[in-house]
């Protein structure tokens, strides 16, 4: 596919680009080269090629899907604003939550 200066000027106008007249001919050559390369890629048979998510065949390690608090509830809640509220006050590792001031009235 070969582009002429008139076509390149129209493409530039549609893309809202200001291209000086003296740059239209070199730009037409560059764009024609890009389109030729794309046409060359379209000739490659990819019928039996599976899509890839990565260029290397890597399987990410999987972990068990279980809910944990990380075992450090006391450390996480130590800096809680207004103090921590524990579900079981006698057991500091029983988990809990912290309260924050109301910001929307």
């Amino acid at each position: 596919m070969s582009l002429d200066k008139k076509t390149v000027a129209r493409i530039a106008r549609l893309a809202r680009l200001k291209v000086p007249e003296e740059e239209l001919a070199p730009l037409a050559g560059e764009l024609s080269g890009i389109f030729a390369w794309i046409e060359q890629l379209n000739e490659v048979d990819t019928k039996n090629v599976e899509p890839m998510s990565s260029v290397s065949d890597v399987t990410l390690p999987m972990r068990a899907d279980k809910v944990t608090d990380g075992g450090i509830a006391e450390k996480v809640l130590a800096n809680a604003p207004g103090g921590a509220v524990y579900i079981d006050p006698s057991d500091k590792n029983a988990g809990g939550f912290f309260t924050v001031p109301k910001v929307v009235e």
Side-chain angles (χ1 to χ4, degrees), residues 23-76:
E23 292 183 17
L24 289 176
L27 189 57
E30 289 180 29
L31 288 174
S32 295
I34 292 170
F35 283 127
W37 183 68
I38 291 172
E39 288 175 2
Q40 184 180 2
L41 285 176
N42 284 335
E43 294 174 5
V44 177
D45 181 27
T46 59
K47 188 178 285 187
N48 295 325
V49 178
E50 293 183 29
M52 299 185 332
S53 61
S54 175
V55 294
S56 58
D57 189 23
V58 177
T59 303
L60 295 176
M62 301 295 283
R63 64 172 173 78
D65 190 16
K66 61 181 181 176
V67 178
T68 65
D69 64 356
I72 57 169
E74 186 174 353
K75 288 182 182 179
V76 170

Side-chain angles (χ1 to χ4, degrees), residues 69-80 84 86 91-96:
D69 64 356
I72 57 169
E74 186 174 353
K75 288 182 182 179
V76 170
L77 295 172
N79 292 325
Y86 289 96
D91 184 5
K92 292 293 185 186
N93 290 321

Side-chain angles (χ1 to χ4, degrees), residues 5-18:
K5 288 175 32 174
K6 181 180 176 184
T7 306
V8 173
R10 183 164 190 270
I11 292 171
R13 186 181 60 79
L14 290 172
R16 297 184 180 184
L17 299 173
K18 186 174 183 178

